[in-house]
Amino acid sequence: MVRKLEALIFKQKYPLLVKGKTFFGYPFYAYGCTYEKDLWFCGFPNSSQDIRLTKFIIKHLKTNDIFFDIGAHRGFYSLLAHKLMDCAGTIHAFEPSPFHFKVLLKNANYPGIFLNKIALSSKSGSLVFYEIKKGSGSTTTDKFLKGSSYYNYCKEERFEKIEVLSNTLDNYCQSRGIYPSFLKIDTEGSEYDMLLGAGDV
């Protein structure tokens, strides 16, 4: 059944958006491609890293925390934080890709979740992004891109070069008078640049 569905999906010009549900009960949209099937089929990302991260967040996130989901992608961790904090804390999700932000907006448009279509980096302004045209990955650095399994799988011609807005974590927090108490960072190789813009936080 899954193989038949995947065959149908990959015939599409663009990935097919599939509605599922997270293991903690929130409606959840993901693209029905092979590397996202755990999200729409089982309700959680099934890599060993994601399982460990999920357990860590469940164990350590406090009710009144200010949770920053940097590289929010589909919003799974923003929703997990929303569930765990029971609307008492606040969540700030960052996803600069227009392609992915559309899905994030469908998934995580809840009170207490602030959705930001920007990249957090070492400077404010704009950044160049490399994004898979028919998939789920993006990165800000071509060096990381060419060393990744995404590149080997999809080949260079399947990537699109786009420009996205950027801000620093310091500027974002100062403008809102907040201080993050919990950071989840997954920025596909640009984590160091993001931390350079977080010297005062």
Side-chain angles (χ1 to χ4, degrees):
M1 176 64 184
V2 173
R3 289 185 179 277
K4 289 182 180 179
L5 181 58
E6 287 178 0
L8 175 63
I9 287 163
F10 281 114
K11 288 181 180 178
Q12 307 297 316
K13 183 177 180 180
Y14 300 103
L16 181 66
L17 201 60
V18 180
K19 185 178 181 181
K21 185 179 286 189
T22 65
F23 74 89
F24 45 89
Y26 281 57
F28 193 82
Y29 288 90
Y31 287 107
C33 41
T34 302
Y35 33 81
E36 290 198 10
K37 66 182 177 184
D38 291 326
L39 281 170
W40 56 261
F41 198 66
C42 304
F44 62 92
N46 196 24
S47 71
S48 58
Q49 308 96 291
D50 283 306
I51 291 171
R52 288 195 298 270
L53 178 56
T54 299
K55 289 180 178 179
F56 184 88
I57 291 173
I58 290 171
K59 183 177 180 180
H60 294 285
L61 192 67
K62 298 179 179 64
T63 303
N64 293 308
D65 273 340
I66 298 176
F67 180 83
F68 273 45
D69 189 358
I70 303 170
H73 202 234
R74 307 283 175 252
F76 175 83
Y77 291 109
S78 291
L79 293 178
L80 177 62
H82 191 263
K83 174 71 173 180
L84 293 170
M85 294 193 292
D86 196 24
C87 302
T90 56
I91 297 124
H92 298 260
F94 301 85
E95 178 50 60
S97 161
F99 180 76
H100 302 316
F101 188 82
K102 288 179 183 179
V103 186
L104 177 64
L105 190 61
K106 290 176 72 71
N107 284 336
N109 192 15
Y110 289 93
I113 303 180
F114 299 92
L115 303 176
N116 300 277
K117 193 167 69 172
I118 60 171
L120 290 181
S121 187
S122 59
K123 61 180 182 178
S124 300
S126 62
L127 290 173
V128 171
F129 250 54
Y130 297 88
E131 188 167 71
I132 296 177
K133 294 178 182 178
K134 194 176 181 182
S136 66
S138 59
T139 181
T140 58
T141 62
D142 56 353
K143 186 175 180 180
F144 177 83
L145 172 72
K146 292 184 178 181
S148 72
S149 58
Y150 287 140
Y151 182 86
N152 294 330
Y153 176 72
C154 294
K155 305 304 179 188
E156 186 173 12
E157 66 270 12
R158 297 191 185 180
F159 285 90
E160 181 179 3
K161 185 177 178 180
I162 63 173
E163 191 171 276
V164 300
L165 295 175
S166 68
N167 198 1
T168 67
L169 185 61
D170 286 341
N171 286 344
Y172 182 87
C173 292
Q174 288 167 9
S175 67
R176 288 159 178 78
I178 58 174
Y179 188 93
S181 51
F182 201 115
L183 296 175
K184 169 259 169 184
I185 307 168
D186 182 7
T187 55
E188 301 290 355
S190 59
E191 286 82 2
Y192 179 71
D193 282 339
M194 191 283 301
L195 291 172
L196 286 177
D200 297 331
V201 174

